[in-house]
Amino acid sequence: MTTPYLPMDLVEEIVCRVPLNSMRALRLTCKGLYTLSKTPRFMKKIGATREGETGMIVLMDYNLYLVSVVVKGDFSAELKGKLTCLNDSDQVKISKVFHCEGLVLCILKDDTRFVVWNPYCGETKWIKPRYSYDRCQERFCYALGYVNTKFCRSHKLLRFIDYYKHISGIQSICYEIYDFDTDLWTNLAVTPHWRISSNNLGVSLKGNTYWCASERPPSGHDRFNNHLICFDFTKESFGPLMPLPFSPKYKDFVTLSCVKEEKLSALLQRFEPDPSEVEIWITTKIEAKKVSWNKFLMVDMRLGISYKLESFFIDEEKKVAMSFDKTFNCYVVNIIGEAGYFEQVDLRKSGDNNYRPCACAFVPSLMQIKQPERGQRKDQSILEKRPFDQNKLRALRLAYFTKA
């Protein structure tokens, strides 16, 4: 296939309209189109979405889909299609998804392997955990981040379980990190003074990951998610607990989101005594050890939203917030704003009533995924293997008592 008679501007305009889920197949049809798709100029056009448009990758019924949300005039949400670039996509079931500047970390339902994927370039990297137990899979937390080196970014994957049941005294603490460059897992010596809930997905920002967290009381009882904590991938350590801009109560819900890869936003949804309001704040300064906030939006919850707004995104210019969720047997996109503004669009019916959906904002990226060179992987040392075996025994014990 050749395009000798078309101006380059016209070729770029045509190609940039191709859906993301078809871009990989298009690049394989012609060397010229493959080269074009890798140029910074073309990427700028791809990333420049229509005014008021937000791209989202959503997880529905164990599969990934691309959704376009437009906030201009009438609110609209369109399901663009299923992302099928993963090998054996019909057999792969994804239970969790995390985003880090163009890369997507997919945790498979069987927990026997993970995959890091660039949906735009089609590159993938499969990662095998050192141990896996289905019965305690949901208690693991994950984070994808990177370290800035002189020439490129060095990506890493954090995986941990921090489980404590006060009544029975069962405890399992295991923090480990995977280095893309060496293809090696290592244990982290962590003594947490915080608690991160296993259903807290965390948010990646400038290479680090942030979670809502609570203080770790001596009694072992959970407290409210009234703090923010950061994992610094450069130092491979957690920072101090930092304040959130509000004081949640016992039944209130708190979650985080990323704003244009530059800021964090925090959402507080009050459920006590009745659903009444939603507060959304945006950071004015964010570092691993320091944060400051500014209020963005306050919404009256008597609009009829009685479920948790777990996956949300904001449009600073339009002064609105968008959320992705499931109501009854249907996946929906909500938009909420000032003066009681509320709209809802149905995307598709839900196939699994017990399935928990999630979403992440997405902007196409040329970020390459590091593949270790042949023979580069090192054997695990005896000193490294000892705590690994201890963690494995703890996980076995936790899996047994979870089943019981």
Side-chain angles (χ1 to χ4, degrees):
M1 177 181 177
T2 59
T3 55
Y5 304 111
L6 294 178
M8 185 54 65
D9 288 346
L10 180 57
V11 174
E12 289 180 354
E13 188 65 29
I14 294 171
V15 177
C16 74
R17 294 176 182 269
V18 175
L20 178 64
N21 54 317
S22 302
M23 185 62 72
R24 181 170 179 263
L26 177 70
R27 288 198 303 266
L28 297 177
T29 63
C30 172
K31 184 178 180 180
L33 292 179
Y34 179 84
T35 303
L36 170 66
S37 68
K38 297 288 188 177
T39 61
R41 173 175 166 171
F42 181 76
M43 282 303 302
K44 187 175 181 181
K45 278 195 173 186
I46 286 287
T49 55
R50 291 175 291 167
E51 182 182 354
E53 183 178 9
T54 298
M56 294 193 301
I57 288 181
V58 300
L59 182 59
M60 299 186 291
D61 298 327
Y62 305 110
N63 290 296
L64 293 181
Y65 295 83
L66 183 65
V67 173
S68 171
V69 181
V70 179
V71 186
K72 184 181 180 183
D74 294 333
F75 164 66
S76 65
E78 180 183 357
L79 186 63
K80 293 290 189 178
K82 184 178 177 181
L83 296 172
T84 57
C85 292
L86 291 179
N87 295 331
D88 301 323
S89 58
D90 291 336
Q91 287 76 39
V92 169
K93 291 187 176 181
I94 302 170
S95 62
K96 294 180 182 179
V97 60
F98 306 87
H99 176 252
C100 178
E101 297 189 17
L103 300 186
V104 179
L105 167 64
C106 303
I107 309 301
L108 303 193
K109 188 174 183 293
D110 61 8
D111 195 35
T112 58
R113 53 183 179 158
F114 321 131
V115 59
V116 178
W117 177 34
N118 185 326
Y120 176 74
C121 296
E123 292 185 349
T124 59
K125 179 180 177 66
W126 291 89
I127 302 170
K128 193 170 183 178
R130 293 192 289 183
Y131 56 92
S132 173
Y133 298 100
D134 291 338
R135 297 189 189 98
C136 57
Q137 172 194 359
E138 292 300 319
R139 301 191 185 279
F140 278 96
C141 294
Y142 303 85
L144 181 64
Y146 60 82
V147 176
N148 282 314
T149 62
K150 186 176 180 179
F151 300 104
C152 63
R153 289 176 177 174
S154 176
H155 285 87
K156 297 182 181 182
L157 165 64
L158 175 70
R159 183 191 194 213
F160 65 92
I161 185 170
D162 188 347
Y163 177 78
Y164 180 76
K165 196 168 184 179
H166 178 64
I167 297 176
S168 60
I170 301 171
Q171 179 171 284
S172 180
I173 299 177
C174 169
Y175 288 78
E176 56 183 357
I177 196 163
Y178 173 82
D179 192 314
F180 282 44
D181 293 347
T182 62
D183 193 27
L184 186 65
W185 288 94
T186 55
N187 297 299
L188 295 181
V190 175
T191 305
H193 57 84
W194 61 86
R195 174 149 302 152
I196 299 173
S197 172
S198 58
N199 59 7
N200 189 335
L201 298 182
V203 175
S204 174
L205 179 66
K206 298 179 180 179
N208 296 329
T209 300
Y210 295 82
W211 289 270
C212 295
S214 56
E215 294 180 282
R216 194 182 196 96
S219 64
H221 291 295
D222 288 331
R223 296 284 180 90
F224 318 126
N225 284 327
N226 54 354
H227 290 85
L228 183 73
I229 196 167
C230 171
F231 182 79
D232 188 324
F233 276 89
T234 301
K235 298 179 180 179
E236 295 189 354
S237 64
F238 285 86
L241 287 170
M242 299 179 287
L244 285 171
F246 38 65
S247 299
K249 297 179 181 179
Y250 175 67
K251 292 185 178 180
D252 293 343
F253 178 72
V254 181
T255 188
L256 302 173
S257 182
C258 185
V259 184
K260 294 182 178 180
E261 309 290 355
E262 298 175 354
K263 309 173 187 176
L264 281 185
S265 56
L267 180 147
L268 169 66
Q269 188 173 1
R270 296 198 182 277
F271 282 93
E272 192 178 68
D274 296 306
S276 58
E277 64 184 18
V278 169
E279 292 182 31
I280 300 178
W281 296 69
I282 301 179
T283 57
T284 55
K285 183 176 182 179
I286 179 72
E287 298 174 356
K289 297 183 179 181
K290 190 174 182 180
V291 63
S292 56
W293 303 87
N294 186 38
K295 182 177 285 189
F296 171 71
L297 191 64
M298 177 84 74
V299 182
D300 191 338
M301 283 297 293
R302 284 173 291 186
L303 297 167
I305 309 173
S306 58
Y307 47 86
K308 294 178 180 179
L309 304 174
E310 296 193 47
S311 298
F312 80 100
F313 312 92
I314 68 171
D315 187 320
E316 288 188 88
E317 295 181 1
K318 300 295 182 181
K319 199 76 174 180
V320 295
M322 296 156 278
S323 71
F324 170 72
D325 219 308
K326 183 174 69 173
T327 59
F328 303 105
N329 63 343
C330 187
Y331 293 107
V332 299
V333 176
N334 303 308
I335 183 168
I336 55 179
E338 296 177 315
Y341 179 76
F342 171 68
E343 287 192 52
Q344 186 177 89
V345 174
D346 294 346
L347 288 179
R348 55 165 285 177
K349 290 185 178 180
S350 169
D352 188 338
N353 291 329
N354 296 321
Y355 183 75
R356 179 189 174 195
C358 64
C360 56
F362 179 73
V363 177
S365 168
L366 288 174
M367 180 63 62
Q368 293 185 331
I369 304 174
K370 175 73 174 180
Q371 304 288 347
E373 298 178 4
R374 186 173 299 177
Q376 184 178 4
R377 180 169 182 148
K378 301 176 182 178
D379 293 333
Q380 196 175 42
S381 68
I382 295 177
L383 291 177
E384 177 67 22
K385 189 175 184 301
R386 187 175 299 163
F388 161 67
D389 290 339
Q390 293 173 351
N391 290 334
K392 186 175 180 179
L393 289 174
R394 292 192 190 104
L396 277 169
R397 186 168 178 256
L398 175 58
Y400 173 80
F401 282 103
T402 301
K403 181 182 178 181

